[in-house]
Amino acid sequence: MKGFNPGSLDSDFGTATESALSKFQKAKKITVDKQAGKASFTKLFALKKWMYI
C-alpha cells in the first residue's frame, strides 16, 4: 500500500515490515504496538474494500 512499503515479500516479519506496520498504525490512529492484530487488520481490509470499487 502506498506509503507503507515493507520491502520485498520474504515470509519474514523483519524490521522493514515492522516499520511499515508502525507507520500504518500511526497514520490510522491505531495504538502503535507493532503487532498485526485485530485493529490493524480491520483498518487494512476496510481500505482494501474501497480499492476495488
Side-chain angles (χ1 to χ4, degrees):
M1 195 174 307
K2 188 175 182 181
F4 308 105
N5 185 356
S8 61
L9 296 176
D10 61 4
S11 301
D12 183 39
F13 195 94
T15 56
T17 306
E18 185 178 280
S19 175
L21 177 60
S22 62
K23 288 176 185 177
F24 176 79
Q25 290 173 329
K26 185 175 181 179
K28 299 302 172 189
K29 297 180 176 36
I30 302 169
T31 300
V32 179
D33 60 4
K34 299 180 184 177
Q35 300 291 315
K38 184 177 179 179
S40 296
F41 276 105
T42 299
K43 293 284 186 175
L44 181 62
F45 287 115
L47 292 174
K48 183 178 177 187
K49 181 178 174 181
W50 287 106
M51 289 173 58
Y52 295 106
I53 294 179

